[in-house]
Amino acid sequence: MSELIHKPAAELAALIAAGEVSSVEVTRAHLDRIAAVDQRVHAFLHVDAEGALAAAADVDARRADGAALGPLAGVPVAVKDVLTTKGVPTTCGSKILEGWRPPYDSTIVTRLRAAGLVILGKTNMDEFAMGSSTEYSAFGPTFNPWDLTRIPGGSGGGSAASLVAYEAPLAIGSDTGGSIRQPGAVTGTVGAKPTYGGTSRYGLVAFSSSLDTPGPCARTVLDAALLHAVIAGHDPADSTSIPAPVPPVVAAARQGATGDLSGVRIGVVREFGGEGAEPGVLAAVREGIEALVKLGAEPVEVSCPHFTYALPAYYLIAPSECSSNLARFDGVRYGLRVGDDGTRSLEEVMSLTREAGFGPEVKRRIMIGTYALSAGYYDAYYGQAQKVRTLITRDFTAAFEQVDVLVAPTTPFVAFPIGSRTSDPYQMYLADLFTIPSNLYGGPAVSVPCGLSEGLPVGLQIMAPTMADDRMYRVAAALETVVPAPVPPGL
Ligand code: GLN
């Protein structure tokens, strides 16, 4: 096994830039690792070995020509299968998109390629990013490398598992209600949800358009910040993209790495300090907060009374938007078509296609959303949920008048056994109890490793004001200096 696979992305990039190792060698090492372990982990839905080696050879050739390379040039990255990749299968973990090869790259993928990153393939996910365990993928679950009988989180379990299995040094996820941070927490990796609108949604297959946010996954805070800087920034192709400079996330991660947090006020969310979370998780997070205080941070207890209503509000807003967004999968435009034998009407073909193409969780969300938006119920459900969303935003605004960042656990529990929460949807939804508020508000939030409970990783979540993504990286990098990421058992 090549030692290259254990190196952080920043180090790999430096070795490549110095000509000490080629991008092709680094890429081959990761492809070999995928070949050796992915049958057991199932992080990938599609491995593009040929495309990756060609991209790596291109970076090596440009370096040989003396071209200036970006800070992550030549480094491999795994991409969640929710982002379009030109000519490369994009399924969103769904049968309905099986065989679809998009005719264009998403903006995130365009930026990765332009920066010289090498795309290894597409990672497994819950169907259309709806889920917290990757068990709702139509192509079978991903297994957590910490314990292959447990879930790697979701919906981006494939991206997180690829990092912790050393199949990729970097990965891209998308976070609508926690799908970057929750997998980060339960795999002991770093997962950051940027400010909504800070990263482009162009080519990100829509689940809930007012919440969906692509972002970086990595094994170190600096690597996540470097990747964030590559993919973020205004995109005219996305109408909700923010036309402002990218917050200085890399400088902030480097500042945090000095281990000095003096002057930083951290708000400890009172409502997320007890109920609903495992004692082992709460204990690890408490120790993490104490560590931040030892580095000079000032702790302030903050009340955000409406955070406890975030989960029900989210499970009306996200399904409502999904019921509209997923109407485009009609058997005409993309992928699967069932029953088109010349005897059936268009409506029958659409119905048969959607019946066969969507899994049970996606159907449940479409039905909830259709109901919540229907005449007579709209005000009572969707309308109420939007009001709660406003109250949550007000809680954040008030909190950030007192403190620089908010901290809480990322998840209420450590990685659970596969199959243990699939029979009761509510049990699955609870995984996002602590992550959803920042989606409804739109601000950035990161999960950073914070020790173990019962031998499994725990994540500490750091939330910041919109477009202050740099603040969360500073605090996360500081924590990393005293609470290093746990090392997973070998595969
Ligand atoms: N687990 C949440 C859901 O099922 C969040 C998913 C996400 O962030 N994509 O909706």
Side-chain angles (χ1 to χ4, degrees):
M1 184 171 53
S2 166
E3 64 187 36
L4 289 171
I5 60 169
H6 293 115
K7 294 196 186 298
E11 211 175 302
L12 290 173
L15 291 172
I16 293 167
E20 283 175 39
V21 61
S22 69
S23 173
V24 167
E25 285 171 272
V26 171
T27 302
R28 259 192 222 289
H30 288 92
L31 290 170
D32 288 349
R33 176 69 172 172
I34 293 169
V37 303
D38 207 52
Q39 229 164 347
R40 280 177 287 151
V41 179
H42 195 220
F44 285 86
L45 291 177
H46 179 80
V47 179
D48 184 16
E50 212 180 298
L53 288 168
D58 184 54
V59 171
D60 289 336
R62 280 194 284 136
R63 201 197 88 81
D65 283 349
L69 300 178
L72 288 175
V75 177
V77 60
V79 176
K80 188 177 178 184
D81 207 23
V82 69
L83 284 153
T84 59
T85 36
K86 189 174 179 180
V88 174
T90 300
T91 67
C92 290
S94 181
K95 289 266 184 242
I96 212 158
L97 280 178
E98 206 171 1
W100 184 54
R101 289 175 188 258
Y104 71 107
D105 277 335
S106 49
T107 296
I108 299 292
V109 165
T110 302
R111 290 188 180 175
L112 292 173
R113 293 195 204 282
L117 280 100
V118 171
I119 297 173
L120 293 169
K122 308 297 289 289
T123 56
N124 198 14
M125 55 186 280
D126 288 296
E127 187 174 3
F128 286 106
M130 299 171 198
S132 305
S133 67
T134 316
E135 290 167 289
Y136 296 144
S137 165
F139 306 106
T142 296
F143 304 94
N144 190 332
W146 277 87
D147 173 348
L148 294 171
T149 69
R150 290 176 188 266
I151 60 104
S155 62
S159 285
S162 75
L163 299 172
V164 79
Y166 299 105
E167 295 169 290
L170 297 170
I172 297 288
S174 69
D175 194 311
T176 303
S179 285
I180 291 176
R181 289 162 287 160
Q182 185 257 4
V186 301
T187 57
T189 57
V190 179
K193 178 194 100 66
T195 296
Y196 174 82
T199 43
S200 169
R201 288 184 298 109
Y202 180 72
L204 173 73
V205 179
F207 160 15
S208 180
S209 310
S210 77
L211 300 164
D212 297 341
T213 311
C217 314
R219 287 191 298 261
T220 73
V221 175
L222 178 62
D223 283 0
L226 287 164
L227 186 56
H228 187 133
V230 165
I231 60 172
H234 182 236
D235 176 12
D238 171 0
S239 63
T240 55
S241 171
I242 298 174
V246 179
V249 291
V250 175
R254 293 195 198 281
Q255 185 191 6
T258 62
D260 178 13
L261 285 180
S262 36
V264 178
R265 294 159 304 165
I266 52 167
V268 182
V269 181
R270 183 186 304 153
E271 286 75 11
F272 285 174
E275 222 177 306
E278 287 173 359
V281 168
L282 292 174
V285 168
R286 244 191 326 269
E287 279 173 36
I289 293 169
E290 279 163 23
L292 294 174
V293 172
K294 282 207 191 103
L295 298 174
E298 181 197 334
V300 181
E301 201 191 36
V302 171
S303 176
C304 297
H306 301 97
F307 278 21
T308 43
Y309 302 109
L311 190 79
Y314 170 89
Y315 277 99
L316 288 166
I317 292 169
S320 295
E321 294 186 13
C322 117
S323 72
S324 165
N325 274 325
L326 270 59
R328 63 172 60 100
F329 302 108
D330 55 8
V332 178
R333 287 176 258 217
Y334 311 89
L336 188 72
R337 179 179 306 170
V338 177
D340 183 18
D341 59 4
T343 68
R344 291 192 175 85
S345 70
L346 179 63
E347 284 74 15
E348 282 175 304
V349 173
M350 282 183 184
S351 169
L352 287 170
T353 302
R354 288 167 69 84
E355 166 63 31
F358 289 138
E361 182 61 25
V362 172
K363 286 178 184 157
R364 178 164 27 243
R365 304 277 181 116
I366 293 173
M367 284 190 281
I368 294 173
T370 306
Y371 184 80
L373 291 175
S374 58
Y377 294 104
Y378 183 96
D379 288 341
Y381 293 110
Y382 183 73
Q384 279 295 98
Q386 290 291 23
K387 288 179 188 161
V388 171
R389 187 171 187 174
T390 301
L391 293 173
I392 288 165
T393 298
R394 286 192 192 150
D395 279 359
F396 271 107
T397 310
F400 290 134
E401 276 165 17
Q402 294 176 59
V403 296
D404 300 299
V405 294
L406 290 173
V407 295
T410 307
T411 59
F413 28 72
V414 293
F416 47 86
I418 289 184
S420 63
R421 284 177 189 262
T422 39
S423 56
D424 179 356
Y426 183 63
Q427 289 305 315
M428 191 68 83
Y429 300 167
L430 283 173
D432 303 297
L433 194 60
F434 303 142
T435 46
I436 284 172
S438 9
N439 296 87
L440 293 176
Y441 158 61
V446 62
S447 179
V448 60
C450 183
L452 300 173
S453 165
E454 298 165 36
L456 294 165
V458 173
L460 177 93
Q461 184 181 201
I462 303 154
M463 297 168 265
T466 49
M467 289 309 269
D469 305 46
D470 48 319
R471 284 192 207 172
M472 72 180 184
Y473 280 107
R474 178 178 173 196
V475 176
L479 183 69
E480 197 179 42
T481 63
V482 279
V483 186
V487 179
L491 278 172

